[in-house]
Amino acid sequence: MKKINLPQASGLTSPNPVTLVCTQKPDGSTNLATVSWWTYLSFNPCIIGYAMAKTSYSGEMVRENKKVILTIPGTAIAETVVGCGSTTGRDTDKVNKFQVEMQKLPTSDIEIPLHSRVAIQCRLKEFVEVGDHYLYICDVEEVYGNEEEEAVFAWNGYSEIRSAK
């Protein structure tokens, strides 16, 4: 073995799970942000965690609203996932820019992409500073799934978003 850095290790551990973090903006619209640093923390009680840069607009919205939905995007919106990860929602309406077809869940006013394999509706429990990111720890309120959608993953670090097949 040779010594490598953490971003290189990320490439060697591909694929990584990827999610679109759905938050509500002050005008009621939905913002989408791509994250692949998320995990199940507990099944009893149901808790998940994810990390976002401290400067993230979506993180700001979650800290303010205490509500978030993590979706596992389907292959039909793989290119959108890349775009949402490289654009800020602070001054961009990503849903319109990337022409994302949205849907409502019965228990939330935050919309999610139609092409989602899983949607995990959460309430922010706490957030912790971890270097240049915040770790968001969230109580899971509801979970929805669609087995007909094929999930996408981040490959080679984050240079490619595609299915695991």
Side-chain angles (χ1 to χ4, degrees):
M1 295 190 90
K2 66 178 184 175
K3 186 175 178 176
I4 62 174
N5 62 33
L6 198 56
Q8 289 170 313
S10 174
L12 293 176
T13 59
S14 291
N16 299 312
V18 68
T19 183
L20 281 175
V21 173
C22 305
T23 57
Q24 192 170 52
K25 295 169 97 168
D27 67 2
S29 65
T30 298
N31 188 53
L32 306 172
T34 303
V35 169
S36 70
W37 300 325
W38 75 276
T39 191
Y40 303 101
L41 296 174
S42 172
F43 292 126
N44 187 18
C46 295
I47 300 172
I48 61 166
Y50 66 96
M52 296 185 90
K54 288 180 182 177
T55 57
S56 165
Y57 180 66
S58 289
E60 183 180 318
M61 293 299 95
V62 172
R63 292 189 306 274
E64 183 176 308
N65 300 327
K66 310 291 189 236
K67 300 184 298 183
V68 63
I69 301 176
L70 273 65
T71 64
I72 309 308
T75 55
I77 59 171
E79 288 189 31
T80 297
V81 173
V82 174
C84 287
S86 60
T87 308
T88 179
R90 194 174 305 280
D91 53 16
T92 303
D93 180 345
K94 296 182 195 181
V95 171
N96 285 328
K97 178 176 182 169
F98 299 111
Q99 301 176 341
V100 183
E101 193 173 353
M102 303 294 281
Q103 66 179 319
K104 289 188 174 281
L105 295 176
T107 54
S108 178
D109 50 358
I110 300 172
E111 292 186 329
I112 66 166
L114 177 64
H115 295 287
S116 297
R117 182 168 173 87
V118 173
I120 306 169
Q121 180 181 326
C122 302
R123 178 157 296 283
L124 179 64
K125 181 181 181 103
E126 63 182 297
F127 66 99
V128 179
E129 183 177 346
V130 287
D132 58 355
H133 284 64
Y134 287 125
L135 174 64
Y136 294 88
I137 300 168
C138 301
D139 291 318
V140 175
E141 294 180 329
E142 301 288 343
V143 183
Y144 300 89
N146 181 353
E147 292 181 17
E148 294 177 14
E149 292 287 344
E150 185 178 353
V152 293
F153 295 83
W155 291 82
N156 300 319
Y158 305 100
S159 63
E160 186 179 355
I161 303 292
R162 64 176 172 85
S163 75
K165 292 181 181 177

